Amino acid sequence: MRYDLHTHSTASDGTLTPGGLVERARAQGIDVLALTDHDTLAGIPEARLAARRCGLALVPGVEISVTWGGMTVHIVGVNVDIAHPPLLEGLTRLCEFRGWRAGEIGRRLEHKAGIAGAWAGACHHARGGLVSRTHFARFLVEQGQARDMQDAFVRFLKRGKPGYVAGQWASLEEAVGWISGAGGQAIVAHPARYDMTATKLRMLLGEFKECGGEAMEVISGSHASHEYPVLAAQAEKSRLLSSAGSDYHGPENPWIDLGRLPPLPKACVPIWHDWELPRAAGQ
Ligand code: AMP
Ligand code: MN
Ligand code: MN
Ligand code: MN
């Protein structure tokens, strides 16, 4: 069975519709796919319908933005009940913050960097879904203000740059609580991508576990292969289950495609070790 438990659609900052993502995942040989848009479950119903049509197990998921220790970290939830009120209310709060933040990023880009029209441009790229920094980056590249997405983040959108607005996301306890309250399992997303010392990462994983978190991503599209054994050892030491997800955002990024993830290292206990597929399918 091929699993990919971390992907995005147009409901957040991916470029494929939920249905298009599911079809591409199936074509790329994935059997079990989690749609985990940033701070929203809006894409799940469409993804479910498409998954039924093409015979793939769709895991309802979400990637929640969290402020922890003054930094932003991402917590993926899988197998969540998408009608669970506290989860929905929590995500609504984060999306309201996103709405305000988008306007503020637009104002700062205009006042500090002299770039007009960024808010409208980002909203256009978001096509009615929630607005993320990715949409601002796409606008900046399109306007010729940045060479590519990475350049747009480095010059305008990262901490210390003119368009940066500090996150006011969920607490770790809230995010894990919303996920487990909705019957799901919480996963620390791409732990090697945070600008964190090893000590701080151990603290994060410890607190995450105390809150009821169950797993961390060992295999991720945004991890380098030399990081896999280090993260596998970390998962074992922290007594966390292991997860694997591409963090796919669409075909524009040639570095990450669906269906290309290597298997989890042998020592890992996969988060799906006790899943029955009907449960995983959420159907
Ligand atoms: P936001 O949640 O709105 O702050 O946006 C974060 C998103 O921006 C991440 O989920 C990535 O998809 C994207 N992102 C963050 N850093 C970079 C980067 N350096 N280059 C390209 N995309 C990035
Ligand atoms: Mn993203
Ligand atoms: Mn992330
Ligand atoms: Mn992601």
Side-chain angles (χ1 to χ4, degrees):
M1 295 289 266
R2 282 219 217 166
Y3 291 79
D4 187 333
L5 300 184
H6 186 156
T7 63
H8 297 276
S9 76
T10 45
S12 66
D13 60 353
T15 56
L16 296 181
T17 61
L21 173 79
V22 165
E23 279 164 23
R24 187 173 177 115
R26 193 68 194 128
Q28 295 290 110
I30 289 170
D31 303 292
V32 184
L33 176 80
L35 174 61
T36 57
D37 275 307
H38 296 285
D39 306 320
T40 182
L41 297 161
I44 303 290
E46 182 188 321
R48 259 187 186 151
L49 283 176
R52 260 183 220 145
R53 269 201 308 274
C54 67
L56 171 149
L58 193 274
V59 176
V62 64
E63 180 174 19
I64 302 182
S65 309
V66 163
T67 301
W68 181 82
M71 337 179 50
T72 296
V73 301
H74 286 169
I75 303 297
V76 162
V78 291
N79 288 313
V80 292
D81 169 5
I82 64 166
H84 185 64
L87 173 62
L88 287 170
E89 285 156 23
L91 297 179
T92 299
R93 189 184 99 205
L94 299 184
C95 287
E96 281 166 4
F97 170 68
R98 275 188 181 277
W100 172 83
R101 183 186 72 152
E104 188 61 22
I105 292 175
R107 285 187 286 277
R108 292 188 191 191
L109 285 175
E110 179 151 8
H111 295 140
K112 298 190 185 178
I115 298 169
W119 178 77
C123 291
H124 174 76
H125 281 281
R127 293 195 265 168
L130 60 72
V131 183
S132 109
R133 283 186 293 165
T134 309
H135 302 114
F136 281 93
R138 289 189 189 129
F139 165 81
L140 291 164
V141 172
E142 174 189 87
Q143 293 293 303
Q145 297 282 356
R147 274 192 317 278
D148 52 33
M149 298 290 285
Q150 171 70 7
D151 189 43
F153 274 86
V154 169
R155 293 183 41 213
F156 298 105
L157 298 169
K158 286 182 113 161
R159 190 193 288 266
K161 302 301 170 176
Y164 180 77
V165 178
Q168 292 165 33
W169 306 116
S171 69
L172 187 60
E173 201 176 358
E174 283 175 325
V176 176
W178 297 337
I179 291 165
S180 32
Q185 293 171 283
I187 305 165
V188 174
H190 42 63
R193 285 286 66 76
Y194 305 121
D195 201 8
M196 237 180 235
T197 60
T199 312
K200 192 140 186 210
L201 180 59
R202 272 198 302 278
M203 270 177 64
L204 170 67
L205 296 175
E207 279 184 37
F208 171 73
K209 236 193 137 194
E210 275 172 31
C211 294
E214 292 183 52
M216 59 180 258
E217 286 180 352
V218 169
I219 301 293
S220 161
S222 63
H223 287 163
S225 53
H226 69 85
E227 292 168 327
Y228 300 155
V230 180
L231 292 164
Q234 182 67 257
E236 199 174 5
K237 210 182 292 167
S238 307
R239 296 185 183 282
L240 288 167
L241 300 171
S242 298
S243 189
S246 58
D247 207 359
Y248 183 75
H249 281 72
E252 294 76 13
N253 177 356
W255 304 109
I256 297 177
D257 199 3
L258 293 164
R260 298 269 170 83
L261 292 175
L264 280 171
K266 288 265 181 305
C268 294
V269 183
I271 186 170
W272 54 81
H273 75 103
D274 62 351
W275 288 6
E276 290 160 26
L277 277 184
R279 180 195 172 204
Q283 286 159 13

